[in-house]
Amino acid sequence: MDLFNVVSVNKAQNILNENFYYKLEKEEINLEKAIGRIIYEDIISKVNVPEFRRSTVDGYAVNCRDVAGASESMPAMLNLKGEVLMGELAGHSIDLPGECVYVPTGGMIPDGADAVVMIEYTEKLDEETILINSACANGDNVVQIGDDISIDEVVIKKGTKLRPYEIGVLSSLGFTEIPVFRKPKVGIISTGDEIVGINEIPKLGQVRDINTYLLYSSILKDEAEPINYGVVKDEYELLKSTVDKALKQCDMVLISGGSSVGVKDQTIEVIDSFQESEVLVHGIAVKPGKPTIISKVCGKAVFGLPGHPLSCAIIYQIIVKNFINKLQNNIDKEYPVQCSFSINYHKAKGREEYLPVVLKNVDNKFIADPIFSKSGLITGFSKAYGYIKIDKNIEGLREGEKVLVYKFN
């Protein structure tokens, strides 16, 4: 039986980055379907936003020189020329000293005005006379042309994952078709004589397929396209033909189960059977998830993931997801939550550990409480808010120690 030659998580990630170069094509999609997609190229504005000067308050457009020194005890008296209607050009302008125009929030600032006095600081003496009780400076309560976005400005950078907020910005600029990266196709193969489909009733010694659906939904959430090749028994020829089919149809392949060194674990043997193949990593110094394979077959990444659901989920989160993000130049960053650890916890040195936790709010402070679950079980993982990473050179954590919690996405 071969022994694992384990590498660190960082080393495994570096090996992936050094050995693979994918060129995902660009595709244009409708703005309404762009949520969650990754921008293919910088989005550059062709217009100013706003394209006209507009008021940020309800009030009176004035020339600030006409209200210099104005106060409640000595208000400035201005002549009201009219009002600006929403969505229309300003039909009046300030041509002479002492004139003003009423402007609603968002209304166009008339020519000759350089500021707006909030209506709360004014008083209507009669239909033609307004008392201004407060001085203002040039530009007060006015959004200038291009204040939000200017022509030729990069408004959304390549690699940005589109949220509803970026969608709103794109709509304000008139974009209807958006350039995004094609979703990478990810093949999923579950292996094991003990695994049966979710519609089957397991016999004693058998379990329903968890990892296919765990991986499938994770891949969807990460804006890739999963392809399910079903459950494959621990038979060399059957697994090889399935992997061969997946390699022809997908950008990468995930094989769940069969990555260890047991007698019936076929993944390494199948990978080696392809002419253009190389096992880059067999074993990562991590708990859970040590028996992980990273290989290059016909220029494509093939991952051998642990069969246990918790281990499979952790390796997907820290290795596969990171790789999918790099394929699409995804520049989004994760920002962990700082918490206090709830107990004293000991771990073995020499490998990183990823520990699922739940968060509790105690006296307005977040407490991270670990979930202890055997690696073959999934319920503990499903209850977790996220996980903490414990460095390989650390022997454990103390109660009350500050930790960073990364959310399971």
Side-chain angles (χ1 to χ4, degrees):
M1 180 181 293
D2 295 331
L3 297 176
F4 292 117
N5 183 20
V6 298
V7 300
S8 68
V9 172
N10 285 340
K11 179 66 174 177
Q13 291 171 341
N14 289 336
I15 288 172
L16 272 169
N17 295 336
E18 293 167 0
N19 281 273
F20 295 97
Y21 175 77
Y22 284 75
K23 179 64 175 178
L24 295 177
E25 300 85 0
K26 177 176 74 171
E27 62 181 2
E28 301 274 344
I29 62 170
N30 188 273
L31 182 63
E32 293 179 351
K33 299 180 179 180
I35 188 69
R37 298 299 296 272
I38 311 299
I39 288 291
Y40 184 86
E41 58 198 14
D42 290 347
I43 302 295
I44 299 173
S45 176
K46 300 177 183 178
V47 297
N48 287 311
V49 179
E51 293 189 87
F52 59 91
R53 295 188 304 151
R54 58 194 301 182
S55 176
T56 63
V57 298
D58 292 335
Y60 293 92
V62 302
N63 188 301
C64 64
R65 291 175 297 182
D66 292 335
V67 297
S71 66
E72 289 188 6
S73 60
M74 189 176 293
M77 186 178 297
L78 302 184
N79 177 41
L80 178 61
K81 290 193 66 177
E83 68 175 291
V84 174
L85 300 178
M86 283 295 295
E88 296 187 11
L89 292 172
H92 304 275
S93 61
I94 294 176
D95 303 312
L96 300 172
E99 292 180 337
C100 67
V101 176
Y102 176 77
V103 185
T105 302
M108 186 175 183
I109 303 295
D111 290 341
D114 58 18
V116 177
V117 178
M118 292 178 64
I119 198 167
E120 290 86 345
Y121 301 126
T122 68
E123 182 180 347
K124 196 170 186 179
L125 191 60
D126 56 44
E127 293 303 315
E128 297 181 349
T129 309
I130 303 297
L131 299 180
I132 306 294
N133 301 321
S134 176
C136 63
N138 188 322
D140 279 359
N141 301 316
V142 175
V143 177
Q144 305 292 345
I145 294 172
D147 260 1
D148 194 357
I149 300 171
S150 60
I151 292 177
D152 294 331
E153 178 183 344
V154 175
V155 289
I156 303 179
K157 292 182 178 181
K158 175 182 178 179
T160 299
K161 187 173 184 177
L162 291 176
R163 305 172 300 169
Y165 320 107
E166 285 83 18
I167 299 293
V169 170
L170 290 168
S171 67
S172 75
L173 298 172
F175 284 93
T176 57
E177 298 294 316
I178 312 301
V180 297
F181 282 95
R182 172 181 65 79
K183 292 184 177 183
K185 294 181 179 180
V186 184
I188 305 170
I189 304 170
S190 279
T191 67
D193 290 338
E194 79 282 12
I195 307 297
V196 298
I198 61 173
N199 294 320
E200 299 181 47
I201 297 177
K203 300 175 183 178
L204 288 178
Q206 295 180 327
V207 293
R208 287 191 178 94
D209 182 16
I210 295 173
N211 288 354
T212 291
Y213 300 92
L214 171 67
L215 293 170
Y216 196 100
S217 55
S218 297
I219 292 164
L220 279 177
K221 200 168 190 307
D222 292 327
E223 292 305 317
E225 181 181 339
I227 299 178
N228 179 9
Y229 290 91
V231 177
V232 178
K233 298 302 181 182
D234 289 321
E235 298 176 14
Y236 171 81
E237 291 297 337
L238 184 57
L239 180 57
K240 180 177 178 179
S241 65
T242 307
V243 172
D244 184 55
K245 181 180 179 181
L247 283 169
K248 292 174 180 176
Q249 296 176 338
C250 301
D251 297 296
M252 69 185 77
V253 180
L254 310 182
I255 305 173
S256 168
S259 64
S260 192
V261 291
V263 174
K264 300 197 71 177
D265 293 324
Q266 305 280 350
T267 302
I268 286 288
E269 188 176 352
V270 166
I271 289 170
D272 286 339
S273 70
F274 288 89
Q275 285 188 347
E276 299 178 34
S277 67
E278 180 183 4
V279 175
L280 303 172
V281 173
H282 190 191
I284 299 179
V286 62
K287 178 184 177 183
K290 179 182 176 182
T292 296
I293 298 168
I294 300 173
S295 64
K296 188 174 186 178
V297 183
C298 303
K300 298 180 179 180
V302 176
F303 297 87
L305 305 182
H308 292 309
L310 177 58
S311 302
C312 178
I314 289 293
I315 294 301
Y316 177 86
Q317 188 78 14
I318 64 175
I319 300 293
V320 180
K321 178 180 178 178
N322 181 68
F323 186 59
I324 291 174
N325 285 339
K326 285 191 176 296
L327 293 189
Q328 302 182 86
N329 291 270
N330 189 341
I331 61 174
D332 283 2
K333 296 184 181 297
E334 290 186 86
Y335 295 97
V337 179
Q338 188 177 68
C339 306
S340 296
F341 199 61
S342 64
I343 62 171
N344 292 319
Y345 178 73
H346 176 76
K347 67 170 278 291
K349 290 180 68 176
R351 61 179 176 176
E352 291 180 12
E353 182 167 344
Y354 290 79
L355 189 63
V357 297
V358 295
L359 296 192
K360 298 178 180 178
N361 192 329
V362 179
D363 297 328
N364 293 321
K365 295 181 180 179
F366 286 119
I367 307 296
D369 201 11
I371 296 175
F372 296 108
S373 175
K374 295 180 180 179
S375 61
L377 305 180
I378 190 65
T379 52
F381 176 78
S382 69
K383 296 172 184 176
Y385 169 88
Y387 61 90
I388 60 174
K389 170 187 168 184
I390 308 176
D391 189 83
K392 66 179 181 179
N393 296 318
I394 295 177
E395 292 186 349
L397 297 171
R398 300 184 305 276
E399 180 180 354
E401 185 172 343
K402 297 297 182 184
V403 293
L404 296 176
V405 178
Y406 293 85
K407 186 176 182 180
F408 281 126
N409 293 318

